[in-house]
RNA sequence: GCGGGCGUGGCGGAAUGGUAGACGCAUGGCACUUAAAAUGCCUUGGGCUAGGCCCGUGCGGGUUCGAGUCCCGCCGCCCGCACCA
């Protein structure tokens, strides 16, 4: 009997699949098409075990769809632009392009060992000029359609490094390299008009039936449609041109609870005031000395500055409110100005208590204990559909829901000329300008005479220059001696190329469409996208639930508007699956100062280091290089084989949840595969006749049914658990050779999406025809699945107290009579009669005594 | 801070509102072996006055004949917050 040796069989079958061209996508009108896509990786240099899980899931789907007669497209590429390449360039004096492409080569070798069904003939990297040139072409289309435009926006500015920082490069308000206090600075930047699509992006979510509800909810909240009132306060003694302050509120029903007006430090009025008042200038400067990240803003202490200006309440001109500049108000939202109602907003309440401003409740609960905010209670913010009692109402009923009150308030205000009801969206336009080298150049030219001029399409791609350096901080493109000097495409006069490059989210917003025809001389070609789009199943991390997926949905619409995608593809991903992370224990010891020192898993045995020191163990932590709790897939494949790695990452945990990588789990998976291998040999060598052929055959059909359901519903862990159970039955079976061989061949097929190499080997061993990768998926015979007799649990007062075997279709009254006759029920009744008997056919009997 | 999610034995987890703990790991025992490894078989939520009963799905309430599942309020962890990808 030979042993299962993954190192021997895995390369063999990988070669066989390649020789047969099994995974090359081909348009085939005689088959339904299926496009499965996993979010493409950033080429960081090494495949992470998390990648293994992500790509194995897609591979299971791809192999299953191949087996069920689909023309499958399963491509792979590289999300190759971005900051890490520039960081590597600075740290190691290596060119970002060289670093990126060598990482790609390395990761591709690692990919090859996993035995995935990828069609590498369609591979591209977003940093290939062929790819980003087409992206530039689309940018020009967007520009022509008005989807791309320029406006001012704030960035994180590092005054020492003289460079723009990403949010993650700002740590506690300081630049990560220079340590300098970061400032907000305004630059003219390129934007995509995603906000024009707000309503469509919102309402189309309703049609995405195969997206997780949580992702749709997050997107809805992000787009943030709100109904509110826009109105203005008239000012008292304000500077010239500021006789009114426009505000927007979603709670106009609380207008009689107004206590102050707050404006953003970037509001035009704040900017005007800082010219005359040094204290205001100082305060505004202080506010701007904070990163642009909304999270920081929200967590920061709420601070304000009393401008001394006052506004008149629109309902009562004698009622004046103070105007504060407040650090938590963003110029990008609404009008950059709010009215504060401390009684019904926790932020406003914190602010009011700090600056001793009035707190005025406008409504209170209908009943129950309630401490009014003005008497020290918390801000009262009930859900809008809840009915409350209006103490200071001015429109609608005294007792009404927040929703009704808001509509009544809007109507009242419109009737009295105080303002207008408007629908707003939280979604802001997408700023795509980056002041960096390693990204897609924005293909426009700045001409003194003609202004902003689009590059001619025949001049695309606008390629990145190769000869750059990172010796001095800032954007290498901007300081390149010759690159930006070009003639104006319109008038031919000397002009300057745009040196901003595009956000890398642009690159990943349309790659799925490019895979349909990767070599096309236009961004897409109609034949390719018409056949392959949409993506039938998209798989990736939930961390992309909002930005990437929203941008990709927007891009599909914008591409459609420019004729790059056909009708019916505005939603590019028919089904979405968000998978969980891979986690691993963290092992650490403490240094003399009590700081943690992290240790790699291979340094730890039985909770101790080699020198015998015990380690602290932090369970289920996200894998990160700095914590050293990483698992190298190459190492796992060397030791156990790809099939074991694939099997393990899919077992144990549901795909949408995190899974903890454990050595013991990997070993168990490996042992199981070896056991299946032995069973296959035992089946091959079994006696011709045996007993229980029929039982095994029934079990085989049940396994087909259950495992198929598991694969179709992304219940890979459930499918695997079912296959374990089938394996247990098989190993105990005394069935004859034919029945055993049939059962093992089915087992190999059902396992093949997860363990393709082992399955091929067994298939061949047991005389399967051709490659298992091309064999049709086994079918379960419905007649073999029904059971004639079932076990019915009997409950007394909702607790299980017994069971009985009954015919599957026994009438309800007979079931009831039999249940009442059981010992357990008789004991519980002790001669009395039951109060109630509930019989759920085929499920349960509950006797209430 | 705001939005979204998750929480079940020693561990990973299973369970259309209907037998909580499938399946796997780890325990412990047995078989095989000179021995070990490997393999196979069995055992295992906690408790008690143990062949029966009680308690158990983060905590506290509620709906229901019946709640891990639905509702309300907490606690903890994770993801996102627009320039990380």
């Amino acid at each position: 009997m030979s042993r299962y040796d993954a190192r021997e069989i895995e390369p063999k079958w990988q070669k066989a699949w390649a020789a047969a061209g099994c995974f090359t996508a081909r348009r085939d009108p005689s088959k339904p098409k299926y496009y499965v896509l996993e979010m493409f990786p950033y080429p960081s240099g090494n495949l992470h075990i998390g990648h293994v899980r992500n790509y194995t899931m897609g591979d299971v789907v791809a192999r299953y769809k191949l087996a069920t007669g689909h023309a499958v497209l399963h491509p792979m590429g590289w999300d190759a632009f971005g900051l890490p390449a520039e960081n590597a360039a600075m740290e190691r004096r290596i060119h970002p392009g060289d670093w990126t492409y060598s990482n790609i080569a390395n990761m591709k070798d690692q990919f090859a060992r996993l035995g995935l069904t990828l069609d590498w003939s369609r591979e591209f990297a977003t940093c290939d000029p062929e790819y980003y040139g087409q992206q530039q072409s689309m940018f020009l289309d967007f520009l022509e359609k008005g989807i791309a435009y320029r406006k001012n926006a704030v960035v994180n500015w590092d005054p020492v490094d003289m460079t723009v920082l990403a949010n993650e490069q700002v740590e506690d308000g300081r630049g990560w390299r220079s340590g300098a206090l970061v400032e907000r600075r305004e630059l003219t930047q390129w934007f995509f008009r995603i906000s024009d699509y707000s309503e469509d992006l919102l309402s189309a979510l309703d049609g995405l039936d195969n997206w997780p509800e949580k992702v749709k909810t997050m997107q809805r909240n992000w787009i943030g449609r709100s109904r509110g009132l826009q109105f203005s306060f008239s000012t008292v003694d304000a500077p010239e041109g500021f006789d009114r302050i426009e505000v927007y509120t979603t709670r106009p029903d609380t207008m009689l609870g107004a206590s102050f007006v707050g404006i953003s430090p970037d509001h035009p009025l704040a900017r005007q005031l800082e010219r005359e008042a040094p204290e205001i200038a100082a305060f505004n400067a202080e506010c701007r000395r904070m990163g642009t990240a909304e999270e920081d803003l929200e967590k920061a202490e709420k601070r304000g500055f009393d401008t001394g200006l006052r506004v008149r309440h629109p309902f009562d001109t004698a009622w004046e409110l103070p105007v504060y500049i407040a650090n938590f108000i963003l110029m990008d939202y609404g009008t950059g100005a709010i009215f504060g109602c401390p009684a019904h907003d926790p932020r406003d309440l914190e602010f009011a208590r700090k600056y001793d401003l009035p707190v005025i409740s406008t409504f209170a609960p209908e009943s129950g204990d309630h401490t009014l905010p003005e008497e020290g209670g918390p801000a009262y913010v009930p859900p809008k559909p809840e009915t409350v009692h209006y103490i200071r109402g001015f429109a609608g009923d005294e007792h009404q829901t927040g929703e009704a009150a808001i509509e009544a308030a809007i109507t009242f205000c419109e009737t009295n000329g105080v303002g207008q009801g408007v629908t707003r969206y939280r979604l802001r336009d997408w700023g795509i300008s980056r002041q960096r080298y390693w990204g897609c150049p924005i293909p426009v030219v700045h001409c003194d005479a003609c202004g902003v001029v689009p590059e001619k399409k025949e001049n695309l791609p606008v390629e990145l220059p190769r000869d750059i350096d990172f010796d001095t901080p800032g954007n290498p493109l901007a300081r390149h001696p010759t690159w930006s000097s070009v003639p104006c495409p319109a008038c031919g006069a000397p002009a300057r190329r745009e040196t901003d490059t595009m956000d890398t989210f642009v690159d990943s917003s349309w790659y799925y469409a490019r895979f349909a025809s990767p070599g096309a001389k236009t961004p897409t070609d109609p034949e390719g996208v018409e056949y392959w789009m949409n993506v039938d199943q998209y798989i990736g991390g939930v961390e992309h639930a909002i930005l990437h997926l929203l941008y990709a949905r927007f891009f599909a619409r914008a591409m459609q508007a420019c004729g790059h995608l056909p009708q019916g593809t505005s939603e590019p991903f028919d089904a979405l699956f968000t998978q969980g992370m891979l986690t691993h224990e963290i092992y650490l010891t403490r240094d003399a100062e009590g700081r943690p020192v992290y240790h790699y898993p291979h340094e730890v045995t039985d909770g101790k280091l080699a020198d015998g020191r015990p380690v602290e163990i932090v369970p289920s932590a996200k894998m990160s290089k700095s914590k050293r709790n990483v698992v190298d897939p190459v190492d796992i494949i060397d030791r156990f084989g790809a099939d074991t790695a694939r099997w393990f990452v899919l077992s144990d945990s549901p795909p949408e949840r995190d899974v903890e990588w454990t050595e013991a789990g990997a070993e168990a998976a490996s042992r199981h595969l070896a056991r299946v291998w032995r069973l296959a040999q035992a089946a091959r060598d079994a006696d011709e006749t045996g007993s229980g052929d029929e039982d095994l055959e029934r079990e085989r059909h049940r396994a087909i049914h259950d495992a198929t359901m598991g694969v179709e519903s992304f219940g890979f862990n459930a499918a695997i658990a079912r296959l374990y159970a089938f394996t247990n039955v098989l190993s105990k079976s005394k069935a004859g050779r034919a029945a055993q061989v049939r059962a093992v061949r089915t087992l190999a097929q059902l396992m093949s999406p997860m363990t393709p190499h082992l399955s091929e080997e067994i298939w061949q061993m047991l005389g399967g025809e051709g490659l298992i990768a091309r064999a049709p998926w086994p079918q379960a015979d419905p007649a073999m699945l029904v059971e004639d007799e079932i076990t019915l649990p009997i409950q007394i007062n909702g607790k299980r107290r017994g069971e009985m075997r009954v015919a599957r279709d026994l009438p309800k009254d007979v079931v009831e009579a039999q249940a009442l006759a059981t010992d357990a029920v008789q004991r519980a009744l002790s001669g009395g009669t039951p109060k109630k008997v509930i019989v759920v056919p085929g499920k349960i009997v509950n006797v209430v005594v």
Side-chain angles (χ1 to χ4, degrees):
Chain A
M1 198 185 252
S2 63
R3 282 177 62 120
Y4 166 57
D5 184 359
R7 274 167 302 190
E8 186 191 324
I9 66 173
E10 290 184 353
K12 181 173 85 185
W13 292 109
Q14 286 164 12
K15 279 185 203 112
W17 297 325
C22 287
F23 310 133
T24 307
R26 285 185 197 86
R27 295 203 291 263
D28 182 346
S30 70
K31 291 178 176 175
K33 70 94 187 176
Y34 199 89
Y35 182 2
V36 55
L37 183 69
E38 302 96 53
M39 292 179 185
F40 64 166
Y42 180 80
S44 58
N46 279 298
L47 220 51
H48 184 276
I49 196 81
H51 290 128
V52 175
R53 191 168 186 227
N54 188 203
Y55 298 120
T56 302
M57 285 181 197
D59 206 49
V60 169
V61 174
R63 285 181 183 271
Y64 173 70
K65 291 295 171 181
L66 279 168
T68 49
H70 295 76
V72 171
L73 172 59
H74 187 206
M76 187 52 65
W78 310 95
D79 189 13
F81 274 135
L83 273 182
E86 297 200 7
N87 293 335
M90 280 178 240
E91 280 154 22
R92 292 182 237 166
R93 306 186 121 294
I94 180 171
H95 191 275
D98 294 342
W99 183 81
T100 302
Y101 281 105
S102 96
N103 284 350
I104 287 173
N106 192 40
M107 284 174 79
K108 202 175 162 185
D109 287 344
Q110 297 175 347
F111 258 112
R113 301 197 51 193
L114 284 169
L116 301 168
T117 58
L118 296 169
D119 178 0
W120 285 104
S121 71
R122 292 169 187 259
E123 175 193 8
F124 59 79
T126 55
C127 62
D128 294 343
E130 293 73 29
Y131 182 79
Y132 71 71
Q134 297 303 333
Q135 189 163 303
Q136 291 169 339
S137 166
M138 280 196 290
F139 178 92
L140 296 178
D141 295 339
F142 290 0
L143 189 58
E144 199 182 314
K145 286 250 187 265
I147 297 169
Y149 71 101
R150 292 216 304 167
K151 72 169 178 183
N152 285 356
V154 289
V155 294
N156 298 311
W157 180 255
D158 184 323
V160 170
D161 276 353
M162 305 290 280
T163 189
V164 177
L165 298 177
N167 282 337
E168 74 154 12
Q169 295 175 315
V170 180
E171 291 165 359
D172 298 325
R174 291 172 183 276
W176 66 339
R177 283 182 211 283
S178 70
L181 282 169
V182 166
E183 299 167 8
R184 271 187 278 168
R185 175 178 278 213
E186 204 166 69
L187 295 179
T188 304
Q189 311 240 66
W190 286 96
F191 281 81
F192 286 155
R193 230 178 268 282
I194 189 172
S195 64
D196 273 8
Y197 294 82
S198 298
E199 184 53 44
D200 187 25
L201 288 167
L202 180 67
S203 57
L205 288 169
D206 296 337
L208 296 176
D209 296 332
N210 295 308
W211 277 43
E213 212 47 59
K214 63 176 173 185
V215 174
K216 289 189 278 186
T217 303
M218 282 190 266
Q219 293 220 349
R220 282 189 192 106
N221 291 341
W222 186 262
I223 294 167
R225 181 170 64 189
S226 65
R227 170 84 176 147
L229 180 77
Q230 183 156 337
F231 68 100
S232 60
F233 288 100
S234 60
T235 55
V236 183
D237 301 331
E240 180 84 29
F242 292 99
D243 40 319
R244 306 195 77 79
I245 296 177
E246 282 283 315
V247 300
Y248 172 74
T249 177
T250 57
R251 291 309 296 254
D253 57 322
T254 66
M255 274 173 78
L256 291 177
S259 133
F260 64 94
V261 165
I263 61 173
S264 164
D266 298 315
H267 191 277
L269 175 57
R271 288 176 179 278
Q272 175 62 36
L273 291 171
E274 73 184 34
R275 285 187 204 128
E276 289 139 33
E279 324 85 75
I280 293 180
F283 180 80
N284 286 351
E286 182 72 30
C287 291
R288 285 182 200 122
R289 221 177 349 261
M290 184 149 49
T292 57
E294 188 188 326
E295 186 186 352
D296 297 338
L297 228 57
E298 289 279 335
K299 279 185 186 160
E301 193 197 356
K302 311 288 173 279
R303 296 181 55 215
F305 191 95
D306 187 354
T307 61
L309 292 180
R310 315 210 31 104
V311 295
R312 295 190 185 91
H313 196 284
F315 291 177
D316 175 4
T317 50
W319 180 4
E320 292 188 357
L321 304 172
V323 177
Y324 277 75
I325 299 171
N327 64 346
F328 58 91
I329 301 171
L330 287 172
M331 197 54 219
D332 290 342
Y333 287 178
T335 61
I338 59 147
F339 81 79
C341 178
H344 304 294
D345 183 304
R347 283 195 312 192
D348 293 350
L349 185 62
E350 185 189 333
F351 193 84
R353 286 189 174 149
K354 184 163 184 174
Y355 295 103
D356 206 18
L357 296 162
V359 179
I360 310 155
S361 284
T362 59
F363 53 78
E366 287 276 272
S367 58
D369 287 346
H370 180 66
T371 310
L372 291 173
E374 42 268 68
E375 286 155 9
Y380 179 52
V381 194
K384 284 178 190 167
E386 202 170 298
T387 301
V388 292
H389 177 203
Y390 277 81
I391 313 164
R392 284 187 184 76
F394 57 89
D397 300 331
E398 193 181 334
H399 299 271
Q400 60 183 335
T401 65
E403 279 163 350
I406 290 166
E407 275 316 309
I410 290 172
T411 307
F412 175 90
C413 290
E414 285 181 338
T415 313
N416 291 282
V418 169
Q420 261 198 326
V422 289
T423 298
R424 276 187 179 275
Y425 299 86
R426 203 183 76 99
L427 181 64
R428 309 198 294 253
D429 275 341
W430 175 12
I432 63 150
S433 277
R434 297 292 181 270
Q435 293 71 39
R436 305 192 206 293
Y437 168 73
W438 195 234
C440 171
I442 293 173
V444 299
V445 172
H446 299 275
C447 171
D448 288 339
C450 312
V452 176
V453 184
E455 184 54 89
K456 290 180 177 154
K457 280 200 177 176
E458 59 262 34
N459 293 338
L460 300 183
V462 174
E463 282 199 51
L464 290 167
R466 167 86 206 169
D467 54 327
I468 41 91
D469 72 79
F470 286 90
D471 296 340
T472 41
N475 182 359
L477 279 187
R479 63 166 179 271
H480 190 280
T482 55
W483 184 75
S484 59
S485 304
V486 286
C488 169
C491 71
R496 274 184 63 80
R497 223 183 246 309
E498 172 66 64
T499 57
D500 282 358
T501 50
M502 294 185 211
D503 177 8
T504 56
F505 272 125
V506 180
D507 312 334
S508 55
S509 289
W510 71 286
Y511 75 109
Y512 50 85
R514 185 72 181 164
F515 277 135
S517 38
K521 299 294 173 208
T522 45
T524 61
D525 92 331
E527 273 201 319
V529 286
E530 259 162 43
Y531 183 80
W532 290 115
M533 287 299 286
N534 296 332
V535 175
D536 294 277
Q537 181 66 59
Y538 196 36
I539 303 169
V542 72
E543 66 271 22
H544 295 294
I546 297 176
L547 292 179
H548 163 61
L549 289 166
L550 194 62
Y551 290 149
R553 295 178 61 221
F554 155 71
F555 230 84
R557 287 163 170 77
M559 285 173 76
Q560 212 174 39
C562 301
H564 298 302
L565 281 177
Q567 290 306 306
T569 52
S570 56
E571 286 299 339
F573 313 121
D574 281 348
L576 172 71
F577 189 86
T578 54
Q579 104 278 18
M581 291 182 303
L582 249 127
T583 61
H584 196 281
E585 291 176 333
I586 294 176
Y587 308 111
L588 61 101
T589 51
R590 303 280 176 176
D591 68 8
E593 276 83 49
R595 285 181 303 240
V597 178
Y598 297 101
H599 305 280
Y600 288 109
H602 62 80
E603 298 172 328
V604 178
T605 327
D606 296 331
K608 289 191 178 72
L609 294 174
D611 59 13
R613 281 185 298 154
V615 295
E616 289 176 46
I617 297 175
V618 181
S620 299
K622 180 180 180 174
M623 287 195 190
S624 94
K625 270 189 185 167
S626 62
K627 303 279 167 61
R628 300 201 161 177
N629 62 333
V630 288
V631 175
D632 178 5
V634 173
D635 179 47
I636 299 299
I637 294 168
D638 283 342
R639 285 165 58 205
F640 300 109
D643 282 341
T644 291
R646 294 170 57 118
W647 183 261
F648 177 69
V649 294
L650 296 179
S651 64
D652 275 17
S653 208
E656 67 275 15
R657 249 198 271 176
D658 295 350
V659 64
E660 170 119 342
W661 178 275
T662 62
E663 191 71 11
E667 276 163 11
S670 177
R671 274 204 303 275
H672 177 73
L673 300 194
R675 183 179 179 218
V676 172
W677 169 269
R678 286 193 302 274
L679 284 174
Q681 293 193 322
R684 184 191 58 191
D685 304 334
D687 293 337
E688 286 303 326
T689 53
S691 59
D693 289 19
E694 174 71 6
D695 290 342
L696 184 59
E697 184 62 6
R698 274 186 178 278
E699 202 55 41
R700 187 178 78 88
H701 282 274
R702 286 191 198 122
I704 293 171
H705 175 262
D706 296 351
T708 304
M709 297 282 283
V711 169
E712 286 202 339
S713 63
F714 265 83
F716 303 132
N717 60 323
I720 285 177
R722 188 62 185 81
L723 292 174
Y724 269 112
F726 182 43
T727 307
N728 288 341
V729 169
L730 188 54
S731 75
K732 291 190 176 76
S733 171
K734 302 273 191 297
R737 186 172 182 278
Q740 283 202 36
V741 165
R742 191 158 53 236
V744 176
R745 277 170 51 164
T746 296
L747 177 64
Q749 278 197 282
L750 297 177
M751 288 174 72
S752 69
M754 293 74 124
T755 59
H757 313 85
L758 171 66
S759 291
E760 289 286 4
E761 192 71 19
I762 291 174
W763 188 251
Q764 185 187 53
M765 187 195 297
L766 299 181
E769 212 171 296
L771 290 165
I772 205 169
R774 287 195 161 153
W777 193 252
Q779 298 293 313
D781 176 357
M784 298 289 270
L785 302 176
V786 291
E787 288 181 275
D788 300 332
E789 206 177 51
I790 55 171
T791 302
L792 217 51
I794 298 165
Q795 292 183 332
I796 292 159
N797 292 337
K799 285 179 180 160
R800 183 181 178 278
R801 284 293 177 265
E803 61 181 38
M804 58 183 187
R805 291 287 289 176
V806 295
R808 185 170 47 88
D809 46 7
L810 199 66
K812 220 170 156 176
D813 51 329
V814 183
V815 171
E816 181 171 332
Q818 284 192 15
L820 290 176
T822 57
D823 290 351
V825 175
Q826 284 304 314
R827 223 178 8 250
L829 288 173
S830 54
T833 49
K835 283 186 191 151
K836 198 172 180 183
V837 181
I838 291 120
V839 178
V840 184
K843 286 285 182 194
I844 206 160
V845 180
N846 189 13
V847 182
V848 184
V849 297

